[in-house]
């Protein structure tokens, strides 16, 4: 009995081996034929993007058991005379899908050597410049593939919603892996010269490939040598001026292109934070500031927290443990509620009047306090 089972298993293994060998041979024989379908590939791509696509050359190869196409000098026609030129596009084809369904389906795409101009509209939607929103919607098919990568790319971002000047990111490398409704993004880019050196990104997002604006999840950013004046220029706060260079790590919870919660670690040298308004001009200066912070959106406004804040200035240093406050509006009144486990007011007192978001009365009160000493278990409520 055991001998028969062993024989049956052996014959099954041999059959599977021959089947796999046959499929592999069929794929190898199929590869040379792919290079003859340049015009068909151009036509299919043109239909997908609703813009004319031309390809300079098509080469076919084999990656494992999956055939792959290398498209060189790809050009996508935009509005008017505008063209998007891509040095190389590599497309991996799903062999098993072809054997099952008898149709060609890509399993991954690598885009290499391209300059992209990305625009954020006044309503918050993103699209490629000179290609309109329809083309951006059609790109959702790419996010349904198992893998999508961008290498050796430049990206110019124009944010019309915030009215900011275009910013160019160079050396962009991004990799997106999709598994159903789960999307994992990793990569890095060189920042604009005025903003810093490099930013690294990791993200795990959830959502349907055709509804990109509804994706939600968590994003991690690591940025080095970030210039605070240039950063504040991108996200201006009324009456606020900042200076210094920061290394930072950020974790953000996002949904529908909006940040709901932000946590971070920051190390700033030559720190300056100043505020000018109806309550007068105030500034806070320190040689270095280190700490952890958190920012959370609420129905009434924002909650802010500082952990292990360390300030150094003029050869002296101060530490503060767990400072938290909430700023918002309720029943037409602005409020500030705060609490702290330990505050060294000698180092922190000058920071209070320059906190962004305060109304004139609260800012004036903070400026008049001029506190000194150490405070423990503080509770504050101002309206």
């Amino acid at each position: 009995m055991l001998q028969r089972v062993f024989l049956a298993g052996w014959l099954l293994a041999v059959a599977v081996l021959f089947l796999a060998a046959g499929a592999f041979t069929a794929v190898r024989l199929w590869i040379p034929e792919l290079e003859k379908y340049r015009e068909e590939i151009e036509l299919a791509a043109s239909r997908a993007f609703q813009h004319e696509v031309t390809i300079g050359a098509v080469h076919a190869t084999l990656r494992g058991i999956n055939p792959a196409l290398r498209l060189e000098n790809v050009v996508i026609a935009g509005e008017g005379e505008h063209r998007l030129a891509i040095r190389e596009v590599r497309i991996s084809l799903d062999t098993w899908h072809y054997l099952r369904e008898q149709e060609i389906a890509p399993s991954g795409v690598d885009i290499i050597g391209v300059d992209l101009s990305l625009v954020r509209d006044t309503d918050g939607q993103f699209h490629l410049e000179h290609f309109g929103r329809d083309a951006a919607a059609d790109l959702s098919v790419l996010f349904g593939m198992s893998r999508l990568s961008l290498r050796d790319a430049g990206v110019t971002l124009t944010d019309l919603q915030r009215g900011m000047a275009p910013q160019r990111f160079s050396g962009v490398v991004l990799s997106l892996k999709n598994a159903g409704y789960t999307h994992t993004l990793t990569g890095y880019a060189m920042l604009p010269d005025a903003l810093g050196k490099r930013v690294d990104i990791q993200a795990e997002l959830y959502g349907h490939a055709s509804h990109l604006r509804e994706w939600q999840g968590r994003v991690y950013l690591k940025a080095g040598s970030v210039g605070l004046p240039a950063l504040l220029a991108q996200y201006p706060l009324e009456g606020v001026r900042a200076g210094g260079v920061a290394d930072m790590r950020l974790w953000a919870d996002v949904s529908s292109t909006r940040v709901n919660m932000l946590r971070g670690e920051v190390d700033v040298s030559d720190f300056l934070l100043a505020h000018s308004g109806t309550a007068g001009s105030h500034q806070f200066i320190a040689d270095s500031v280190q700490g952890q912070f958190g920012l959370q959106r609420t129905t009434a406004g924002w909650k802010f927290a500082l952990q292990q804040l360390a300030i150094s200035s003029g050869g002296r240093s101060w530490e503060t443990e767990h400072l938290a406050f909430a700023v918002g509006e309720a029943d037409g009144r602005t409020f500030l509620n705060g609490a702290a486990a330990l505050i060294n007011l000698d180092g922190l007192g000058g920071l209070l009047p320059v906190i962004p978001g305060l109304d004139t009365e609260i800012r004036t009160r903070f400026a008049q306090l001029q506190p000194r000493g150490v405070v423990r278990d503080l509770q504050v409520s101002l309206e």
Side-chain angles (χ1 to χ4, degrees):
M1 178 66 180
L2 184 60
Q3 186 178 11
R4 292 180 180 178
V5 172
F6 178 78
L7 180 60
W10 172 254
L11 292 176
L12 180 61
V14 171
V16 170
L17 181 62
F18 273 102
L19 180 61
F24 186 74
T25 301
V27 169
R28 290 186 63 88
L29 293 175
W30 180 39
I31 287 175
E33 299 298 320
L34 292 175
E35 298 183 6
K36 302 178 181 179
Y37 290 91
R38 181 173 60 84
E39 293 183 359
E40 286 81 354
I41 296 172
E42 290 177 338
L43 182 60
S46 299
R47 285 200 301 264
F49 294 113
Q50 297 184 8
H51 289 270
E52 182 185 2
V53 177
T54 58
I55 302 170
V58 177
H59 305 282
T61 185
L62 193 65
R63 290 184 177 178
I65 65 168
N66 291 322
L69 294 175
R70 189 173 81 251
L71 314 180
E72 296 180 350
N73 300 321
V74 178
V75 178
I76 304 176
E79 299 169 345
E81 299 297 321
H82 295 283
R83 300 289 185 270
L84 178 64
I86 306 173
R87 186 173 72 242
E88 185 176 336
V89 178
R90 299 177 182 177
I91 304 175
S92 299
L93 304 179
D94 190 337
T95 299
W96 298 117
H97 180 88
Y98 179 79
L99 294 176
R100 289 194 312 267
E101 308 294 337
Q102 295 300 302
E103 65 177 7
I104 297 176
S107 61
V109 173
D110 301 290
I111 301 173
I112 305 169
V114 63
D115 278 313
L116 300 174
S117 294
L118 196 61
V119 177
R120 187 188 191 192
D121 287 333
T122 54
D123 59 359
Q125 293 192 44
F126 288 89
H127 69 268
L128 292 175
E129 189 177 20
H130 306 304
F131 285 85
R133 294 187 179 184
D134 292 339
D138 293 333
L139 291 177
S140 64
V141 68
L142 299 177
F143 296 95
M145 299 178 184
S146 61
R147 180 182 56 79
L148 174 65
S149 75
L150 182 67
R151 289 153 41 195
D152 191 19
V155 177
T156 300
L157 175 61
T158 302
D159 194 336
L160 299 180
Q161 188 179 59
R162 293 183 177 273
M164 297 186 302
Q167 295 290 325
R168 177 171 172 76
F169 300 84
S170 59
V172 178
V173 175
L174 293 174
S175 175
L176 179 67
K177 295 182 179 179
N178 305 296
Y181 284 82
T182 302
H183 314 277
T184 304
L185 176 68
T186 58
Y188 61 87
M190 305 309 294
L191 294 170
D193 292 338
L195 193 56
K197 290 184 178 180
R198 166 172 160 160
V199 60
D200 292 76
I201 182 171
Q202 296 180 19
E204 186 161 302
L205 304 168
Y206 307 93
H208 195 279
S210 61
H211 298 87
L212 303 182
R213 294 196 66 197
E214 298 177 7
W215 283 14
Q216 58 183 323
R218 176 163 292 184
V219 179
Y220 166 74
L221 293 173
K222 178 183 177 182
S225 301
V226 176
L228 295 186
L231 182 63
L232 189 62
Q234 298 298 311
Y235 301 94
L237 298 172
E238 185 177 357
V240 176
R241 181 167 55 91
V245 178
D247 295 327
M248 59 182 65
R249 297 196 299 165
L250 304 174
W251 293 263
D253 290 342
V254 299
S255 62
S256 302
T257 70
R258 189 175 75 166
V259 176
N260 297 317
M261 185 173 69
L262 182 68
R263 296 184 298 111
E265 299 176 353
V266 64
D267 185 349
V268 187
S269 59
D270 300 324
F271 179 68
L272 165 69
L273 184 62
H275 185 277
S276 299
T278 55
S281 298
H282 310 280
Q283 70 176 18
F284 177 81
I285 299 175
D287 297 332
S288 68
V289 175
Q290 298 174 320
Q292 303 170 358
F293 68 90
L295 189 65
Q296 182 176 2
R297 188 190 300 269
T298 67
T299 55
W302 288 91
K303 290 182 178 180
F304 182 76
L306 285 173
Q307 293 279 1
Q308 305 298 326
L309 177 66
I311 300 173
S312 298
S313 181
R316 301 181 61 190
S317 61
W318 302 268
E319 292 187 1
T320 294
E321 298 178 3
H322 187 66
L323 170 64
F325 61 85
V327 179
E329 290 187 5
D331 300 326
R333 295 179 299 177
T334 301
F335 68 86
L336 183 145
N337 298 324
L342 171 66
I343 299 181
N344 192 319
L345 296 175
D346 292 346
L348 191 62
L351 182 60
L352 298 178
V354 297
I355 295 175
L358 302 180
D359 69 6
T360 301
E361 183 178 357
I362 294 177
R363 193 179 303 279
T364 301
R365 290 185 185 182
F366 278 162
Q368 293 171 346
L369 286 177
Q370 296 295 316
R372 293 291 184 270
V374 176
V375 177
R376 299 181 186 274
D377 301 324
L378 175 67
Q379 298 286 333
V380 176
S381 181
L382 297 174
E383 292 186 357

